[in-house]
Amino acid sequence: MRPEPEIGRLVRILRGKDRGGFAVIVGIIDERFVLIADGKDRKFDRPKKKNVLHLEFQPAVSSEVADSIRETGRVTNAKLRYAIQKYLERKGE
């Protein structure tokens, strides 16, 4: 069973030039498309629209990112980078 797309969920990119990289969902367009950003190559101000079939949802959800977007409508790129880095350290990559 596939986890639902939600703001703050970490994803691994399976298709496209960023394949193999990690990003955070920063917006949901509909049931097929989400907006992702990693804070480095893909900033929050210019998120990438991705088909959910091209993403592998990770079990982790960054509460800092989700809370920040819920409260202010945006998140800093540093917070996105930190959430991804923290997840990768825990996962051991």
Side-chain angles (χ1 to χ4, degrees):
M1 160 116 174
R2 222 175 137 86
E4 283 295 304
E6 63 181 294
I7 289 177
R9 181 169 298 279
L10 279 94
V11 295
R12 174 181 244 140
I13 303 163
L14 301 175
R15 299 265 193 291
K17 69 179 179 69
D18 301 327
R19 112 174 113 254
F22 286 86
V24 181
I25 296 177
V26 296
I28 298 174
I29 298 172
D30 57 29
E31 66 276 347
R32 275 190 59 213
F33 291 100
V34 294
L35 297 173
I36 61 170
D38 65 7
K40 190 171 48 199
D41 303 320
R42 184 56 73 173
K43 306 276 200 241
F44 175 79
D45 295 330
R46 302 204 48 217
K48 176 80 176 142
K49 178 181 172 185
K50 274 299 225 191
N51 187 324
V52 295
L53 298 175
H54 297 170
L55 300 172
E56 177 188 350
F57 292 115
Q58 303 299 306
V61 175
S62 171
S63 56
E64 292 108 349
V65 171
D67 292 344
S68 178
I69 291 175
R70 203 175 303 114
E71 289 165 16
T72 64
R74 55 183 298 112
V75 65
T76 64
N77 291 310
K79 207 173 270 188
L80 290 172
R81 289 191 304 269
Y82 177 72
I84 293 169
Q85 177 190 351
K86 201 166 79 171
Y87 173 69
L88 292 177
E89 282 171 6
R90 267 202 322 255
K91 196 173 164 221
E93 282 199 13

